[in-house]
Amino acid sequence: MFSPSIVYGLMFDEITASSLVKVDMACNKLLDSPFPVNPAGFVIHSAVHEARPEAGCVMHTHSRAGVAVSAQKAGILPISQQSTFVLASLAYHTYEGVALRAEEKVRLQADLGRANHLVLRNHGLLTVGKSIPDAFLAMYTLENTCRIQIDAMAGGTELTQVDPAILAGMADVMRVATAGLGSQLAWPALLRKVEKLDAAYRT
């Protein structure tokens, strides 16, 4: 399993493969590391891994657009093509304060269910994938859904919503749109891009 962004003490652009902290399901470090583990991050990520054994990767972000939409009562609106993919597998979890209490896990697990996109109310976004590419593509789509929504609402005019009939069967549409490759359609190109920018992430 892989759950990034649990490390304390580093900027995101400083993190490389060797600075990630490997822990077990009780948050015990399995390899020596000078970096502490974010306890709130562990509670959230471990809750998902416990409930979803097929989850090879869980991503959680506090992006500006994601937090903004998480605070909106209506949540994700069906106003973009991106949102139709998200709405096909979306859940919400009510904010309970900083996630430090193990008892919140049960409620988070129940709210997530089988969804692959989770909006943590007043908090941020979370995605689940069988692999790192799957979770990343889900997060990329969810993040852009939120950015589009914030931009559209900033226009101050009434928004046109997607016909509910179009939302049905979006999982099949996604498979066709990615030529059956899913996240692998984009992942190799993304790796080539990061290699050109800075290959140091591998060390």
Side-chain angles (χ1 to χ4, degrees), residues 29-90:
K29 290 183 184 179
L30 298 179
L31 297 173
D32 185 45
S33 171
F35 304 110
V37 175
N38 176 350
F42 175 78
V43 167
I44 293 170
H45 288 254
S46 64
V48 178
H49 284 299
E50 286 174 9
R52 299 281 294 273
E54 84 285 3
C57 180
V58 178
M59 294 189 73
H60 171 45
T61 65
H62 299 159
S63 69
R64 182 171 178 173
V67 175
V69 172
S70 79
Q72 294 177 348
K73 192 169 184 178
I76 301 291
L77 299 173
I79 58 169
S80 66
Q81 181 166 277
Q82 289 80 356
S83 71
T84 64
F85 295 119
V86 170
L87 289 165
S89 184
L90 176 65

